[in-house]
């Protein structure tokens, strides 16, 4: 602050002083930024400040956090004021010097153990509001890595979604040292200088010092994970006093002239004292604009009552009858119209329900208000003409239908529209009874709105009690700054004033915003005796007081502070008194009171006698309070709470303190509990809610034995407190602000205060902090949300946030789960400008809060996780004999039909080699069509009969001899788009005795990403030659290709577009069926490039098994929409038709991108019974055609011909996708039984395939918790934590599977999860690698069980976990059918906390949490769980995902997420089979190549 303003503020002209005060207010309200404030202020003061050495006046600010210059002492009050207010501290109620000191001390303690916390990483565009220089964390001055360069670490970035990418040089069985020189082996191939890893290191360092209590000894319980229940601290304070006895207030005096009902008082003053002023309203500037006299109030209320009852409907059908409810919709600056409407309703005996004016269709909490109106049966709303004009309208001028509101009829109550009542009409004024007088709305902690119904007798008695307690006398003037529609503003300013013929001056909130001192000026001008304020108003008056030297508050006998029950009000009251005592304010005039909608006024401090000693304060230990016990704070002044009393119980009332939860048991004298009040002056019920009413309004306290104390019902006030010495009442918090964490109670207001005591001015707005708790993982967790100033830098915010966490931790001994900063002015507001807490909480839980900064600390807060599991020693052969398998009734194994027993009179059987079969078919059925290739339009572009294929293959074989000079056994890479050319080249290689290797061609638009994979397979397979098309040949030698790989060292490239008409003298015949037929290369989801060797015998057996399972023969047609490069896709595309003779209609999957209808219309047009596709094809159709089923019908597409639709995959069946596909296309005839999946792996490409006969695929629900322990427990549908699994098709003929413990290699029972091992004649014969790694070979392809009957069989390990279940169905053999369920790849599983997790389960949970999550992938890094989510919404939603992801993984999987990474759509790499490549993602993340939108490191 500029100095002269402190020293010589009085010398400034008055209008400048007013403008300055207004600026201060704007800043504190958040209407302008700190920067804007300083700029405007400097401009205002420029003419009055002497320039010092040409320095810009705006720069002559007092340096922050330093002692002010000595000159400041000349005007102590104002300069001290300046310092206190430097942050626009609108909420003085939370300021307490003791507290600020405490927080500073706590932070100093933390500073000693300084800890570098990793700052979140943000993309520049995510800074909604920060200046550019404050954007990137300091370590990020380097240029982002060039993702197009082909260094070994970054070749994996910038790729489209469906590409197979092995990380550079990781080949199964490859020697570790080869081709990885640029990567560091220690960090799993992460470049050393990665920024991400330094941050993760920081995170690990912070987590190494756990705050959690040490774990007890481990338990072993495979089924129920027991959540750690916080054990009570043996040293915690316990209440020791005796049981309290209810405290009585003084008797309610009987005053002879008290009216029998409030309406009678109005009638009396309106007819006998008509000229007396009743209510004065102010205009926007704070000047009195209209005074309503008692006569006017009476006559206008009478007119309104008459109109309501007689003029709204017809005589026979009135719209309103006595007892009906009516909404009162009046703005806060029109008390006069409201008062007339309120009393008009009372006189008409209809029940007014005052509510706020709705501003938009979707106000915060508006829907709940609508619910209240509906439940009260309200159809009529009274309002003013001006207000009605201001309501939001539709295009044709009608008032919009507010969300959740019933249909209302709006009635304008301005005088000119009312009918004068006839002379003989009189309202019915009876003696007050228990009939309802009015309904006051209140919002509960959860955000629901309830109507507290107040009876006429309660309204009257409450006015009497207030009159007696406040000692009101006729004709006094009171100033009311509160909302006159509810609570103390209504009780004193509208009801008690009529009872006592007082004169109320109503100061609306809008005036307070422009002229904060207006209420003090009104007290001064009108010599008011009483003022009704909140701490906020005291604070605002102190801010503006510099302009007013001459106000006097000596007339005030009572300054009623209505939120004096807030524990932090004491400092506001003290500060206000010290400032205004010199203006005549008497210390004994400050009267805090405690109120709530249910109990109305519970206690109020009576106006004191001048000179009498002021009541004492209670200095309580916060630690004691958290256990609900009153202890005077002695040990640590840092965690003390000073509270002032709120006076005595109301006249005629009685008070007791009961335990806040459970049965209403009376508390002990040194225990905190909920204040309950019994008197005639409280509410009578929540309108229409009988159950909740009973628990709140009809409470009979019980003693420790549980027997009722007396028969007088009490009302729960919702206030927490105790009765101190001298029957003084102390309030320490509200039930609504109660946060119960691990059995300890904390108060939201206390936490706000601690947060504010951390020097916050640069970062957040003081009045805009919300604290609430959310329930996550069996406990409440504290969330703090604040509005960030637009000019706060990232570092400042992060600094402030980490200090707030430390301060709350030190002072309250409780961890904050989440601290979020949102942009200024975005939190939902209540009508009078506060924060709408329940709405904020709802936004947080829905993910619509849009924070700009967030810190999650689950590691410190969540101390109730189950203990990590320790693995049990393995099962040895001895234990089987003893019966370790008892848990499973039988050994988990299953088999397909026995090949030997199947009668198969097929002529094909006599041929051992596929080449012989093709030659035989070319002779026997030369013109039989085998293949039909379709283009995007669905027209056949190429066909092949048996003879054509044979001839084409012969020509290719001769080219290999002539141009390639190849020898039998050389490897040849086939690089073709999906089509018949590929098939011909394959058989050409076999005719020439070469070994074909099919490879997906590189993507012309994305050579840098796709070509290295091709190059690698060419190198690894030691190919002697490449067969391809002319177009691809040019691409391989192009300049673009040269940028990605070394194009000079390709082997011989032969294009097969124009072949000479030449044939081989003789075709090659392998000497034995064990000879190699082809190599099958594929990239696994973990990024491993693996080539497996397929022998002629295996090829023959594979084709035969598929033929038998699917009943394929030459008159059949099948449609294939798959990639033909590896696995079962290759087998179906290239091999099966030649073996079985059926016709294959080939649909290249990429054609679907330009014509989504292609696959389904082909199936329909050719009446296909069996079709094969991949998950990506099914997903394209589901997403793209899901809403076009009618159009499919119109095109005549019908799928009723389909018997089997098989998804070819090597993973757990994606049941949600297959089910939604079935449901979507049910309308065009697709049978619900048609869709099934296959299961294959690298060692055996086809283990299961549904086929035509045999039972339908079965599904089971298994318990996820048991699965983590490698156990299988079946549960009912809808059971919590259940997972739906589907059988992966039927096991093929000749295939046996057994489930094995991967560690001990022993067979397991059928209630265990284990690795699937397979034995079959078509298992691959081994890996094809550069270095023949024999140990891996033997382990994966020829391995034996460690014990058991099947120990002699040679098995191949699939690398997948699964289980076998015997079903009730009958297999083809007549036995009961054994179903095989695949759960996931063993390589992909995450071992965390001693349990086994499958990434897909965590990903499924995460994807459900928010509509903007397009895709998600998880992996671990040094025991931290990293979750990567793709955001398909706008970037401001990025930070919403962090808490949602953390919550769901904690709730459903009992895991704490370490890092949440939010990225753009398409960043998560997906291979051609539609599987996520998580290891690539992990490498890219650690190499800092993801360009994330946001990275959050959970503390």
């Amino acid at each position: 602050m500029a100095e002269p303003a402190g020293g010589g503020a009085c010398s400034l002209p008055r209008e400048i002083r007013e403008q300055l005060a207004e600026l201060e207010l704007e800043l504190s309200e958040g209407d302008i930024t700190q920067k804007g404030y300083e700029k405007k202020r400097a401009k205002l003061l420029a003419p009055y400040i002497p320039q010092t050495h040409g320095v810009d006046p705006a720069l002559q600010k007092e340096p922050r956090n330093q002692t002010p210059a000595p000159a400041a002492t000349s005007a102590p009050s104002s300069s001290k004021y300046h310092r206190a207010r430097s942050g626009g501290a609108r909420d003085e109620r939370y300021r307490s010097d003791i507290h600020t000191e405490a927080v500073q001390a706590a932070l100093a303690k933390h500073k000693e153990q300084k800890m570098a916390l990793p700052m979140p990483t943000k993309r520049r565009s995510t800074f909604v509001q920060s200046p550019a220089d404050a954007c990137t964390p300091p370590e990020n001055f380097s240029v982002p890595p060039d993702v197009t360069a082909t260094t070994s670490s970054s070749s994996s970035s910038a790729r489209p979604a469906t590409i197979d990418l092995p990380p550079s040089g990781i080949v199964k069985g490859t020697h570790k040292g080869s081709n990885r020189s640029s990567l560091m082996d220690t960090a799993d191939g992460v470049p050393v200088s990665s920024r991400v890893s330094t941050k993760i290191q920081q995170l690990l360092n912070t987590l190494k010092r756990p705050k959690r209590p040490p774990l007890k000894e481990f338990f072993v319980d495979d089924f129920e994970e027991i959540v750690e229940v916080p054990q009570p601290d043996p040293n915690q304070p316990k209440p020791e006093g005796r049981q309290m006895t209810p405290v009585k207030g003084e008797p309610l005096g009987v005053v002879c002239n008290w009216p029998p009902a409030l309406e009678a008082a109005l009638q009396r003053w309106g007819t006998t004292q008509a000229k007396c002023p009743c209510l004065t309203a102010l205009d926007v500037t704070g000047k009195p604009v209209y005074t309503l006299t008692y006569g006017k109030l009476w006559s206008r209320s009478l007119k309104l009552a008459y109109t309501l009852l007689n003029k709204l409907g017809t005589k026979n059908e009135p719209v309103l009858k006595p007892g009906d409810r009516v909404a009162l919709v009046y703005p806060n600056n029109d008390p006069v119209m409201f008062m007339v409407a309120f009393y008009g309703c009372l006189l008409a005996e209809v029940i007014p329900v005052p509510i706020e004016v709705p501003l938009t269709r979707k106000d915060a909490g508006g829907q709940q208000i609508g619910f209240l109106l509906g439940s009260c049966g309200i159809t009529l709303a009274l309002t003013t003409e001006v207000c009605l004009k201001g309501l939001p309208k539709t295009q044709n001028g009608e008032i919009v239908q507010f969300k959740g509101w019933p249909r209302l009829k709006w009635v304008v109550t301005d005088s000119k529209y009312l009918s004068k009542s006839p002379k003989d009409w009189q309202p019915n004024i009876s003696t007050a009874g228990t009939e309802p007088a009015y309904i006051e709305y209140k919002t509960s902690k959860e955000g629901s709105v309830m109507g507290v119904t107040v009876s006429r007798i309660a309204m009257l008695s409450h006015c009497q009690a207030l009159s007696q307690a406040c000692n009101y006398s006729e004709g006094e003037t009171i100033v009311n700054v509160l909302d006159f529609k509810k609570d103390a503003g209504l009780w004193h300013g509208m009801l008690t004033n009529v009872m006592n013929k007082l004169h109320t001056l109503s100061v609306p909130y809008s005036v307070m915003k422009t002229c904060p001192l207006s209420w003090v000026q009104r007290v001064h001008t009108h010599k008011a005796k009483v003022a009704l304020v909140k701490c906020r108003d005291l604070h605002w008056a102190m801010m503006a007081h510099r302009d007013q030297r001459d106000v006097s508050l000596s007339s005030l006998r009572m300054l009623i502070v209505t939120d004096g029950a807030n524990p932090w009000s004491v400092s506001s009251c003290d500060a206000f008194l010290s400032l205004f005592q010199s203006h005549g304010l008497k210390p004994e005039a400050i009267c805090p009171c405690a109120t709530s909608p249910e109990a109305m006024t519970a206690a109020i401090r009576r106006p004191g006698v001048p000179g009498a000693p002021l009541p004492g304060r209670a200095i309580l230990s916060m630690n004691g309070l958290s256990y609900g016990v009153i202890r005077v704070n002695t040990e640590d002044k840092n965690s003390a709470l000073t509270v002032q009393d709120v006076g005595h119980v109301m006249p005629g009332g009685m008070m007791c303190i009961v335990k806040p939860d459970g049965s209403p048991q009376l508390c002990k004298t040194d225990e905190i509990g909920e204040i309950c009040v019994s008197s005639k002056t409280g509410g009578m019920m929540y309108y229409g809610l009988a159950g909740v009413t009973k628990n709140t309004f009809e409470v009979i306290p019980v003693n420790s034995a549980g027997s009722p104390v007396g028969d007088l019902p009490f009302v729960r006030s919702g206030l927490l407190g105790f009765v101190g010495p001298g029957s003084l009442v102390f309030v320490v918090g509200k039930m609504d602000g109660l946060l119960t964490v691990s059995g300890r109670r904390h108060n939201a207001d206390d936490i706000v205060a601690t947060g504010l005591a951390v020097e916050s001015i640069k970062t957040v707005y003081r009045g805009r902090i919300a604290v609430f708790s959310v329930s996550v993982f069996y406990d409440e967790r504290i969330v703090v949300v604040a509005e960030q100033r637009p000019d706060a830098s990232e570092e400042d915010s992060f600094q402030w946030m980490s200090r707030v966490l430390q301060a709350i931790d030190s002072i309250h001994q409780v961890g904050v789960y989440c601290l979020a900063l949102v942009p200024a002015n975005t939190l939902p507001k209540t009508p009078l400008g506060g924060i709408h807490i329940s709405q904020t909480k709802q936004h947080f839980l829905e993910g619509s809060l849009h924070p700009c900064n967030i810190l999650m600390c689950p590691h410190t807060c969540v101390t109730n996780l189950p203990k990590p599991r320790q693995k049990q020693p393995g099962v040895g052969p001895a234990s089987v004999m003893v019966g370790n398998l008892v848990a499973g009734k039988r050994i988990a194994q299953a088999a397909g039909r026995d090949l030997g027993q199947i009668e198969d009179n097929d002529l094909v059987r006599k041929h051992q080699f596929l080449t012989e079969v093709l030659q035989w078919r070319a002779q026997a059925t030369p013109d039989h069509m085998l293949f039909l290739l379709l283009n995007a339009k669905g027209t056949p572009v190429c066909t092949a009969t048996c003879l054509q294929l044979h001839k084409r293959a012969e020509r290719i074989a001769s080219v290999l001899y002539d141009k390639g000079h190849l020898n039998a056994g050389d490897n040849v890479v086939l690089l073709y788009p999906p089509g018949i050319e590929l098939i011909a080249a394959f058989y050409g290689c076999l005719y020439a005795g070469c070994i074909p290797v099919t490879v997906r061609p590189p993507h012309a638009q994305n050579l840098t990403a796709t070509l290295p994979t091709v190059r690698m397979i060419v190198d690894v397979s030691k190919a002697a030659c490449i067969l391809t098309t002319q177009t691809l040949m040019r691409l391989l030698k192009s300049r673009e290709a040269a940028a990605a790989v070394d194009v000079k060292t390709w082997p011989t490239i032969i294009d097969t577009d124009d072949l000479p008409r030449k044939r081989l003298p003789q075709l090659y015949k392998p000497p034995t069926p064990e000879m190699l037929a082809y190599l099958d290369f594929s990239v696994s989801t973990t990024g491993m490039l693996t080539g497996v060797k397929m022998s002629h015998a295996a090829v023959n057996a594979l084709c035969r098994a598929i033929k038998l399972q699917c009943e394929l023969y030459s008159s059949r047609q099948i449609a294939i929409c798959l990639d033909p490069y590896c696995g079962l896709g290759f087998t179906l595309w290239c091999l099966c038709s030649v073996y079985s003779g059926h016709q294959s209609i080939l649909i290249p999957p990429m054609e679907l991108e330009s014509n989504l209808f292609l696959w389904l219309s082909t199936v329909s047009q050719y009446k296909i019974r069996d079709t094969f596709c991949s998950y990506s094809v099914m997903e394209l159709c589901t997403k793209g055609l899901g809403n076009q089923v009618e159009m499919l019908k119109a095109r005549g597409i019908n799928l009723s011909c389909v018997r089997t639709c098989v998804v070819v995959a090597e993973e757990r069946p994606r049941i949600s996708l297959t089910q939604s596909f079935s449901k979507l296309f049910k309308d065009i005839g697709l049978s619900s039984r048609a869709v099934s999946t296959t299961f294959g792996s690298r060692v055996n490409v086809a283990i299961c395939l549904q086929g035509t006969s045999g039972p339908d695929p079965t599904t089971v629900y298994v318990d996820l918790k048991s699965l983590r322990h490698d156990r299988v427990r079946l549960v009912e549908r809808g059971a919590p934590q259940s997972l739906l699994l589907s059988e992966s098709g039927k096991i093929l003929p000749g295939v046996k599977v057994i489930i094995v413990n991967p560690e001990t290699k022993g067979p397991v029972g059928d209630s265990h999860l284990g690795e699937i091992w397979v034995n079959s004649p078509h298992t691959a014969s081994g890996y094809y690698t550069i270095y023949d790694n024999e140990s891996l070979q033997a382990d994966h392809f020829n391995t034996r069980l460690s014990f058991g009957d099947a120990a002699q069989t040679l098995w191949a390990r699939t690398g997948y976990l699964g289980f076998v279940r015997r079903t009730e169905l009958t297999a083809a053999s007549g036995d009961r059918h054994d179903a095989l369920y695949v759960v996931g790849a063993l390589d992909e599983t995450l071992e965390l906390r001693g349990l086994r997790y499958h990434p897909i389960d965590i990903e499924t949970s995460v994807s459900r949490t928010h509509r903007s999550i397009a895709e998600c992938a998880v992996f671990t890094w040094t025991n931290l769980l990293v979750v990567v989510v793709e955001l398909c919404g706008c970037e401001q939603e990025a930070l919403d995902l962090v808490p949602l992801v953390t919550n769901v993984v904690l709730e459903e999987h009992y895991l704490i997420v370490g890092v949440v990474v939010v990225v753009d759509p398409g960043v998560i790499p997906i291979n051609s089979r539609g599987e996520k490549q998580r290891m690539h993602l992990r490498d890219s993340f650690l190499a800092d190549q993801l360009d994330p939108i946001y990275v959050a490191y959970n503390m």
Side-chain angles (χ1 to χ4, degrees), residues 1121-1258:
C1121 190
L1122 282 170
D1123 275 324
Y1125 300 106
C1126 62
L1128 189 53
F1130 167 76
T1131 309
L1132 290 163
W1133 190 281
C1134 293
L1135 310 182
C1136 290
S1137 266
V1138 170
Y1139 184 90
S1140 308
H1142 60 271
Q1143 184 183 337
S1144 293
I1145 296 174
L1146 308 174
I1147 306 166
M1150 59 205 195
E1151 303 289 7
L1152 260 71
E1153 285 170 19
S1154 50
N1155 175 10
L1156 278 175
F1157 299 97
L1158 178 61
W1159 173 45
L1160 298 181
S1161 59
T1162 305
V1163 168
S1164 168
Q1165 182 188 338
Y1166 289 90
K1167 304 234 176 323
I1168 300 287
R1169 290 172 66 182
D1170 302 282
T1171 177
F1172 296 84
C1173 71
S1174 64
Y1175 277 128
S1176 8
V1177 166
M1178 190 168 267
E1179 194 157 27
L1180 265 178
C1181 292
T1182 310
K1183 286 187 175 159
L1185 301 175
N1187 49 7
Q1188 302 188 21
V1189 178
E1190 290 309 314
M1191 197 202 278
L1192 291 170
K1193 279 186 186 165
R1195 287 185 171 212
I1197 295 178
N1198 184 338
L1199 302 182
S1200 54
C1201 52
V1202 177
R1203 186 171 55 170
T1204 59
C1205 167
V1206 179
V1207 189
V1208 174
E1210 296 188 8
E1211 56 177 312
R1212 175 198 299 179
R1214 299 192 200 169
I1215 199 157
S1216 58
L1217 177 58
T1218 54
Q1219 284 184 343
S1220 49
F1221 179 81
S1222 296
K1223 277 185 194 144
L1224 275 175
F1225 301 114
K1226 180 179 77 196
D1227 289 351
I1228 51 169
L1230 182 67
S1231 151
S1232 57
R1233 305 163 52 172
V1235 181
S1236 63
T1237 58
T1238 68
F1239 169 58
S1241 69
R1242 288 285 65 207
V1243 297
N1244 189 318
V1245 297
I1247 296 167
C1248 299
L1249 173 60
Q1250 184 57 33
T1252 47
S1253 59
D1256 290 340
T1258 53

Side-chain angles (χ1 to χ4, degrees), residues 873-888 1271 1307-1309 1312 1347:
V875 177
S879 50
V880 171
M881 305 309 145
V882 181
N884 195 294
L885 291 169
V886 168
R1271 290 283 175 84
V1308 297
H1312 281 63
F1347 60 86

